[in-house]
Amino acid sequence: MTAPLTPPPPPHEQPPHSSRGGWQAVSAPPGMGPAPHGATAAYGADGPGMKTELREAAVITVGVALAGVLLGVLWSWLAPRVPLVGDVVDNAWVVYLKDTEGEQAIGVDGTFALLALGFGALSALVVFLVRKRGGVPLVAALALGGLLGSLLAWRAGVWLGPTQNVLAHAKAVGKGVTFSAPLKLGAKGALLAWPVAALVVHLGLTALFGPRDPDPYTTPYGSAAPPVA
């Protein structure tokens, strides 16, 4: 006689929760496990590093500051001239303004401020195109380079402009002859136009077109990973 062919009993299925009433740990799908920690580590390793950022910041500072020479040349060329006249009074040379109500002195400050604003916007655009990642060292280098560039432009423009020895200039051109006064930056606040414009433009470009940081809590499928109890 042969034993009847009876199928084996099905395996006993475990309940979805333990006998104590607590939920069992549910394994997350592939890519949803320790994603937050791994994603953060991967993103941190993707950066250029602090040494590289400081090196780039130093190069940017020097490059932006050297651009101040060009600003000084343009300022000495485009700034309006303040007319002076020399005269002899009691056998002594005196120099006075030819037009006491003229606004050429204000135009000198305004020309410097407008040129500095343009240089600030241009330097911010160039730095953003070269390195879109941004960073605190880069922003600090942009501001410091702009301030140094303004100071260099100021001194270069004064040096390239008319001579500072007004009396000698008056004697050279002769009595009653109009000549130009040396360049003078009356509003020292214009020195801040370059760094302020650079920071504002760079901030706007970074906010609009800068790269976005990846969300460490987003799965490869585009949805947030469910919490694992």
Side-chain angles (χ1 to χ4, degrees):
M1 296 180 64
T2 60
L5 299 176
T6 57
H12 181 66
E13 296 181 359
Q14 296 292 334
H17 56 81
S18 62
S19 58
R20 296 183 180 180
W23 292 93
Q24 290 184 348
V26 180
S27 60
M32 290 188 179
H37 201 62
T40 304
Y43 174 69
D46 216 9
M50 183 56 66
K51 290 185 178 180
T52 304
E53 289 187 356
L54 292 178
R55 191 183 310 114
E56 293 177 351
V59 174
I60 290 173
T61 301
V62 175
V64 173
L66 290 179
V69 177
L70 179 58
L71 175 57
V73 172
L74 292 176
W75 181 47
S76 65
W77 179 36
L78 299 175
R81 301 306 185 194
V82 179
L84 300 178
V85 174
D87 197 1
V88 179
V89 178
D90 296 334
N91 296 327
W93 278 90
V94 293
V95 177
Y96 55 89
L97 290 171
K98 182 178 181 180
D99 186 6
T100 56
E101 297 181 358
E103 297 181 355
Q104 292 86 352
I106 300 176
V108 173
D109 296 343
T111 302
F112 185 92
L114 290 177
L115 289 174
L117 289 174
F119 270 72
L122 182 60
S123 60
L125 177 61
V126 172
V127 170
F128 176 78
L129 293 178
V130 171
R131 190 174 183 275
K132 294 184 178 181
R133 181 180 293 273
V136 176
L138 182 143
V139 175
L142 194 58
L144 180 59
L147 182 59
L148 294 177
S150 296
L151 294 173
L152 184 59
W154 174 32
R155 302 314 304 170
V158 171
W159 181 69
L160 293 173
T163 179
Q164 297 291 312
N165 195 340
V166 178
L167 289 178
H169 196 180
K171 294 177 182 179
V173 298
K175 177 181 177 181
V177 179
T178 303
F179 62 96
S180 299
L183 283 181
K184 180 181 179 182
L185 189 63
K188 298 302 188 292
L191 297 172
L192 300 178
W194 187 337
V196 171
L199 292 179
V200 172
V201 173
H202 188 271
L203 178 61
L205 292 175
T206 304
L208 293 176
F209 308 106
R212 299 294 185 267
D213 294 340
D215 188 359
Y217 296 98
T218 301
T219 65
Y221 303 99
S223 60
V228 179

